[in-house]
């Protein structure tokens, strides 16, 4: 019953629509797009003797009158909240392998040499090339922005565990045509500090994105609040002007005007209450939680090299440098500076005659982490 005709009519899917499709498929159910933004979901039975459940959901509130049996699928509705909670609860450690990569690229030595910048006179010799599995952890976070309204966004970020760096080409890494549940080659794993080390890096990256999203929303909120406060201020000053006018007329007729004073005070109180409520509702809060995690094992080549200056003789010593060839994007990854451990393609001569990144080589007191 799974079909795809709607995705052409409907254009790009919303993250929620994509999530529901993926969730239903991953949990062994099926989905059928009845019309754009209206689905029949067959959810697998929770207990072995229960029947699978079919629910009709609509992502567009305007479709509900035509499908009165449908539940509205939006963040915060019981159905979607239950599915999201279920997805997290049942999120196992999913492991996938990248297959079909070329692990014997032609001219690898030259490609590494071209990527690297060495001081004059230095040459780079490739000493070893090893294909290894490089684990990358892809995290999906759900960010909830709560103010006078509630909005959610799904944010994804992937971290390469070997270098502890963010993977910039997440879409290519997640290309389903290249992912398999079993490896095509039995390879050893590269050195890495483990999955737990990637989580704080992923969170840090997501926080930066989140800060930008929150700032945009905050600016909109401040603008909206200013407009609403102005409208409320105008409304109450118009009302008070009217009461004051009635008061003047009553006084000119020699009547008691005490009730107008009371009404004016009540209007001031009401305005203060409404203004305070509005300010309260315009506070933005952001909640972040981890929705899902997939570990992707990708074969890459670990290239061991030795950089030295032959003119200075064998006693001058060589600097061992490791490089990684990523066959998915056909690129050399930056190496790690022997002194500060930051990524670099450029190596300069230190005062001690060794090699380090330009910042370390230029610094007066080199950090001697050996
Ligand atoms: Zn350095």
């Amino acid at each position: 019953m799974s079909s795809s005709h709607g995705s052409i009519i409907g254009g790009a899917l919303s993250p929620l629509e994509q999530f529901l499709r993926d969730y239903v498929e991953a949990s062994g159910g099926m989905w059928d797009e009845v019309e754009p933004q209206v689905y029949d979901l067959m959810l697998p039975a929770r207990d072995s003797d229960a029947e699978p459940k079919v629910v009709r959901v609509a992502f567009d509130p305007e479709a509900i009158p035509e499908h009165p049996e449908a539940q509205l699928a939006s963040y915060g509705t019981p159905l979607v909240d239950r599915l999201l909670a279920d997805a997290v609860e049942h999120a196992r450690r999913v492991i996938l392998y990248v297959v079909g990569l070329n692990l014997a690229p032609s001219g690898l030595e030259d490609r590494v040499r071209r990527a690297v910048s060495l001081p004059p006179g230095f040459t780079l010799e490739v000493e070893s090339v090893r294909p290894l599995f490089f684990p990358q952890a892809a995290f999906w976070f759900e960010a909830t922005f709560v103010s006078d309204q509630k909005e959610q966004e799904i944010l994804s970020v992937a971290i390469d565990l070997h270098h502890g760096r963010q993977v910039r080409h997440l879409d290519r890494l997640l290309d389903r045509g290249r992912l398999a549940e079993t490896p095509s080659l039995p390879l050893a794993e590269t050195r890495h500090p483990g999955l737990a080390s990637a989580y704080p890096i992923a969170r840090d990256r997501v926080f930066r994105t989140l800060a930008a999203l929150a700032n945009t929303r905050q600016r909109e909120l401040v603008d909206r609040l200013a407009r609403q406060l102005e409208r409320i201020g105008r409304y109450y000053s118009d009302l008070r002007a009217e009461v004051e006018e009635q008061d003047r007329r009553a006084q000119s007729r020699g009547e008691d005007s005490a009730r107008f004073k009371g009404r004016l005070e009540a209007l001031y109180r009401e305005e203060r209450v409404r203004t305070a409520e509005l300010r309260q509702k315009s506070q933005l809060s952001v909640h972040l939680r981890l929705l899902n995690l997939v570990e992707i094992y990708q074969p890459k080549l670990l290239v061991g090299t030795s950089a030295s200056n032959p003119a200075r003789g064998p006693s001058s010593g060589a600097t061992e440098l490791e490089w990684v060839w990523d066959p998915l994007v056909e690129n050399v990854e930056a190496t790690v500076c022997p002194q500060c451990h930051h990524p670099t393609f450029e190596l300069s001569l230190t005062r001690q005659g060794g090699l380090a990144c330009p910042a370390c080589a230029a610094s007066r007191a080199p950090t001697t982490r050996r």
Side-chain angles (χ1 to χ4, degrees), residues 208-363:
R208 293 183 200 186
T209 312
L210 211 54
L213 292 172
N215 283 340
T216 308
R217 279 176 174 75
Q218 185 66 39
R219 272 196 298 277
E220 288 168 4
L221 266 177
V222 167
D223 287 353
R224 199 159 61 233
L225 177 64
R227 283 198 304 275
Q228 286 171 320
L229 286 177
E230 201 202 318
R231 231 178 3 248
I232 287 179
R234 229 176 14 241
Y235 171 76
Y236 281 101
S237 72
D238 285 354
L239 280 185
R240 281 192 299 269
E242 204 173 296
V243 173
E244 279 160 0
E245 177 59 28
Q246 288 173 346
D247 184 19
R248 262 196 301 281
R249 268 186 261 144
Q251 284 187 26
S252 68
R253 288 195 299 268
E255 291 170 13
D256 175 27
S257 64
R259 62 199 164 103
F260 295 113
K261 297 274 179 294
R263 222 180 274 170
L264 274 178
E265 268 165 37
L267 283 175
Y268 273 115
R269 263 199 312 276
E270 201 180 302
E271 183 181 9
R272 276 197 301 275
V273 170
R274 283 197 61 187
T275 304
E277 270 174 11
L278 198 60
R279 287 185 189 280
Q280 178 70 32
K281 274 200 300 187
S282 299
Q283 302 270 339
L284 179 68
S285 68
V286 185
H287 309 274
L288 184 70
R289 67 181 180 126
L290 178 64
L291 270 189
N292 228 328
L293 161 64
V294 176
E295 274 178 273
I296 299 163
Y297 282 74
Q298 191 208 315
K300 295 184 188 181
L301 300 177
L302 187 68
V303 184
T305 66
S306 165
S308 60
N309 187 347
R312 302 171 78 208
S315 60
S316 67
T319 305
E320 305 297 319
L321 296 167
E322 270 186 352
W323 305 87
V324 175
W325 170 259
D326 183 343
L328 182 64
V329 288
E330 301 197 305
N331 251 337
V332 177
E333 292 177 2
T335 193
V336 173
C337 166
Q339 287 191 7
C340 69
H341 302 264
H342 281 114
T344 185
F345 284 104
E346 194 179 345
L347 293 144
S348 305
L349 205 54
T350 62
R351 282 155 198 264
Q352 292 75 30
L355 294 178
C357 77
C360 285
S363 90

Side-chain angles (χ1 to χ4, degrees), residues 147-179:
S147 58
D148 54 342
Q149 54 202 34
K150 184 176 165 186
E151 289 174 277
Q152 283 179 311
E153 300 232 12
I154 308 278
L155 306 171
S156 56
V157 62
I159 306 297
D160 162 42
L161 298 195
H162 174 78
H163 278 135
R165 301 174 193 160
Q166 185 173 356
V167 179
R168 299 283 169 192
H169 49 273
L170 183 58
D171 47 341
R172 288 173 79 175
L173 189 63
L174 295 175
D175 178 357
R176 282 171 195 221
R178 278 215 172 86
L179 292 175

Side-chain angles (χ1 to χ4, degrees), residues 198-213:
Y199 186 66
I201 305 171
R203 258 190 99 90
D204 175 65
R205 295 298 182 282
V206 163
F207 272 133
R208 293 183 200 186
T209 312
L210 211 54
L213 292 172

